[in-house]
């Protein structure tokens, strides 16, 4: 199994003193999760076109963004998805948004090109339901945690 950066980001934020060994979703888990509700949007398909590679020697991921993804930078976008809190609080203004329904706090929600880091202007109450997030889109290069997309000053509905 290979390291899953998103899980590492979740665990490193919530449990900073414990070592993290992350795993990728197995094919059976992925197909089972695909039958659950999803945030359906062409935008997710566009983001998915970003090619992710692993640098095993350095233990990091790299993203190669196609022109269609680069063209989104600076735009205000709306993306449906599921909130994955980065801590145990009931509210917060920093979380991950996944296309897929989270099935476990310690299980990866998808690949690095299927998750967006979200920062809201004000704390919001976390929800397990499908939400819609609108914010300013940016690319980030967090290969340690496998985070390559970000929305800032976001509003959640």
């Amino acid at each position: 199994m290979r390291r899953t950066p998103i899980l590492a980001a979740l665990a490193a934020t919530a449990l900073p003193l414990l070592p993290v060994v992350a795993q990728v979703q197995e094919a059976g888990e992925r197909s089972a999760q695909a039958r659950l509700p999803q945030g359906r949007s062409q935008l997710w398909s566009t983001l998915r076109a970003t090619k992710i590679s692993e640098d095993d020697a350095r233990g990091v991921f790299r993203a190669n963004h196609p022109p269609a993804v680069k063209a989104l930078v600076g735009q205000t976008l709306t993306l449906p998805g599921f909130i994955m809190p980065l801590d145990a609080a009931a509210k917060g203004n920093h979380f991950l948004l996944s296309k897929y329904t989270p099935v476990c706090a310690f299980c990866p929600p998808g690949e690095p090109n299927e998750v967006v880091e979200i920062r809201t202007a004000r704390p919001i109450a976390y929800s397990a339901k499908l939400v819609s997030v609108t914010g300013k889109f940016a690319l980030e290069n967090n290969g340690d945690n496998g985070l390559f997309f970000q929305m800032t000053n976001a509003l959640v509905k």
Side-chain angles (χ1 to χ4, degrees):
M1 294 188 162
R2 65 185 169 96
R3 176 178 168 253
T4 298
I6 297 160
L7 180 57
L10 290 169
T13 303
L15 305 167
L17 301 177
L18 299 177
V20 176
V21 178
Q23 300 174 349
V24 168
Q25 268 182 327
E26 297 293 333
E29 291 174 22
R30 180 78 170 191
S31 65
Q33 190 175 38
R35 293 188 297 270
L36 297 172
Q38 295 181 21
R40 300 206 185 271
S41 167
Q42 179 59 41
L43 187 51
W44 280 117
S45 298
T46 301
L47 297 178
R48 182 84 168 102
T50 294
K51 300 296 181 206
I52 305 298
S53 61
E54 296 178 62
D55 181 340
D56 290 331
R58 292 183 50 216
V60 298
F61 287 77
R62 291 197 172 120
N64 182 7
H65 303 289
V69 173
K70 290 178 181 177
L72 299 172
V73 172
Q75 293 186 35
T76 298
L77 306 175
T78 300
L79 194 58
F82 295 89
I83 293 173
M84 298 208 53
L86 293 171
D87 57 36
K91 292 176 118 182
N93 64 346
H94 183 211
F95 57 90
L96 302 179
L97 186 73
S98 171
K99 170 183 177 172
Y100 299 103
T101 303
V103 293
C104 168
F106 299 102
C107 298
E111 297 298 320
N113 56 6
E114 297 174 319
V115 175
V116 178
E117 182 179 20
I118 306 292
R119 293 190 181 269
T120 60
R122 298 181 191 161
I124 59 127
Y126 293 138
S127 169
K129 296 180 181 180
L130 182 67
V131 298
S132 179
V133 177
T134 301
K136 185 175 180 181
F137 183 78
L139 297 177
E140 65 176 309
N141 187 21
N142 187 339
D144 290 336
N145 290 326
L147 297 172
F148 300 104
F149 312 119
Q150 185 179 73
M151 290 173 74
T152 57
N153 207 26
L155 298 172
V156 178
K157 294 182 183 176

